[in-house]
Amino acid sequence: MASASSEPQPQPVLVHTTAGTLRGSREDGVAVFRGIPFAEPPVGALRFAAPRPAKGWDGVRPARDFGPPAPQGMDAAGDTQGDDWLTANVWTPEPDPGARRAVMVWIHGGAYMIGTSGLPEYDGARLARDGDVVVVTFNYRIGAEGFAQIEGAPANRGLLDQVAALEWVRDTIGAFGGDPDRVTVFGQSAGGGSVAALLAMPSATGLFRRAVAQSVQGTFFTPELAADIAAECASELGLRPTVTELSTVDPQLLAIAGDAVTARLPESVDRWGPVAYRSVTFAPVVDGDALPVTPWQALADGAGRGIDLLVGHTRDEQRLLSLLDGLLGQVTEEQAEQALRLVAPGPDGARRYRDGFPAASPNELHETVNSDWAFRMPSLHLAQAHHDAGGRAHVYELTWPAPGLGGILGACHGLDVPLVFGNLDRGQPATLIGDSPYPEAEALSARMRAAWTRFAVDGDPGWPAYDAEHRLTQVYGAQPEVTRYPEETSRLLWQHHTFAPLPLLSSPSGSTARPAFEPTPPAR
């Protein structure tokens, strides 16, 4: 009898690690291992605790399926069943311990609230195969589980998970053919912000040699702001933000409470400022311990001076977000003025933006200032701080317009993800490329994949490093070229701005807020 399917069945492949033996599969020309635990499930007694290394196992552990994503709210991606949230996935050309290939470790985005490494757009097969590198993706705690300021718990648990994943890579990746001394972290949006945070974290020192920060999300919170938002999330459930009161709450219910607070954020601009305006509920907390200072301050002080940095953004970051908010092409003069007032730098930022872009419409002003505040200028300032302290940074901007959805989104937020991974026909960002990949998209993707993997291998993406005199930037447009940084007006408007931790402006009563408690430092 003929087989029910003519599809070739993946061939099993074994890897022996110190924790135990894994059975993966050979797919698309590479060996793939999914759902490998790098830390114990953070549930029960470990709920809201710093991650603990995963235990070993006897026999052969199947590694065919992705682990469940961390709990997230109604916008969750993927199946959230199961509590083994902290797992990693590996794509390798050949799991030969003697190969010592460069390793690329991806940190997914999602505003620190949603996302999972198992999304099809993050499939690492093409990047690993074409670049002859080992690709690793992983899950980390997001939302309240990972970033809420909870009494009795360490701050920045999501970042601590990322450090734990990198420690697992250091200790284990050799078995998959990777070189633990040539690790590059790369991430986009909140993943780019995470890469920036790792550059500033003492516990991450020595865990990676290079970093790629794509569209760095520039939101970092003070403990006071984070504590006030956490209190609001807990109050949705009639509780206080303490480990004692929250540790028995269903994680999905806590995520939904976070969604409820997010939906009301625009009403709290006087209390929470720009994060309320931009509906940012969670972000890394500059707690003075796990994250002593902001990434920009850390790099200015010389942290990571020996780390090679590749950083950049898309030209039209805000356009996709405006579409999702129902504002694309619909911004009024009043809405543009509110954006300028809340996020433009300095007390006269609104006037300076209008002077800098005198012919801009309300839509254009709204898009530009929001793109600058959220992603473009945080990315550029990261490169500038690294360069000024003696480090080497390469800068890029993606200007190629997405042809999907009638071409209305330009070079929008997230367009770089399918181009870097080469997954032009799958996952959510594939709608930006169109129903069938255009030849120019394939060509541009090949260029970007080659640059990213070349950077991971030897630190040179193929264009000169950024400096204060020439500001040379790789522009990925219809015809890629190296030129001076294109967003010069925005650069000048923000050149004296300091990306400080975002503060709590007032308590609900209107008085100056004070933190109700201090976070517990993570266990050493």
Side-chain angles (χ1 to χ4, degrees), residues 120-124 126 417-426 430 445:
E121 52 262 41
Y122 303 148
D123 186 289
R126 195 172 188 187
V417 173
L419 294 171
V420 166
F421 276 89
N423 299 323
L424 305 181
D425 59 352
R426 68 187 78 172
S445 176

Side-chain angles (χ1 to χ4, degrees), residues 48 69-73 76-77 85-86 108-116 139-148 157-159 161-162 190 194 251 254-255 282:
F48 305 120
Q72 45 202 284
W85 309 330
L86 303 182
H108 72 75
Y112 303 105
M113 288 190 67
I114 60 173
T116 172
N139 291 340
Y140 58 97
R141 282 173 285 182
I142 50 181
E145 297 292 331
F147 292 95
R157 296 172 298 281
L159 296 180
D161 292 345
Q162 295 172 15
S194 295
L254 185 57
F282 300 104

Side-chain angles (χ1 to χ4, degrees), residues 8-13 23-34 63-66 90-93 123-126 128-129 426:
Q9 296 301 307
Q11 296 299 308
V13 57
R23 180 190 295 115
S25 56
R26 193 168 295 281
E27 307 169 20
D28 299 322
V30 297
V32 187
F33 302 83
R34 302 181 179 92
R64 290 283 302 277
D65 300 319
F66 291 109
V90 180
W91 288 261
T92 177
D123 186 289
R126 195 172 188 187
R129 184 182 64 247
R426 68 187 78 172

Side-chain angles (χ1 to χ4, degrees), residues 33-115:
F33 302 83
R34 302 181 179 92
I36 311 165
F38 65 83
E40 287 293 290
V43 297
L46 300 183
R47 183 90 180 271
F48 305 120
R52 297 187 185 177
K55 298 175 182 176
W57 58 87
D58 295 325
V60 179
R61 181 186 178 102
R64 290 283 302 277
D65 300 319
F66 291 109
Q72 45 202 284
M74 65 186 74
D75 294 325
D79 179 14
T80 58
Q81 298 301 310
D83 56 19
D84 204 0
W85 309 330
L86 303 182
T87 59
N89 321 290
V90 180
W91 288 261
T92 177
E94 187 60 49
D96 174 9
R100 298 187 68 84
R101 291 179 170 88
V103 181
M104 300 182 68
V105 181
W106 172 254
I107 305 177
H108 72 75
Y112 303 105
M113 288 190 67
I114 60 173

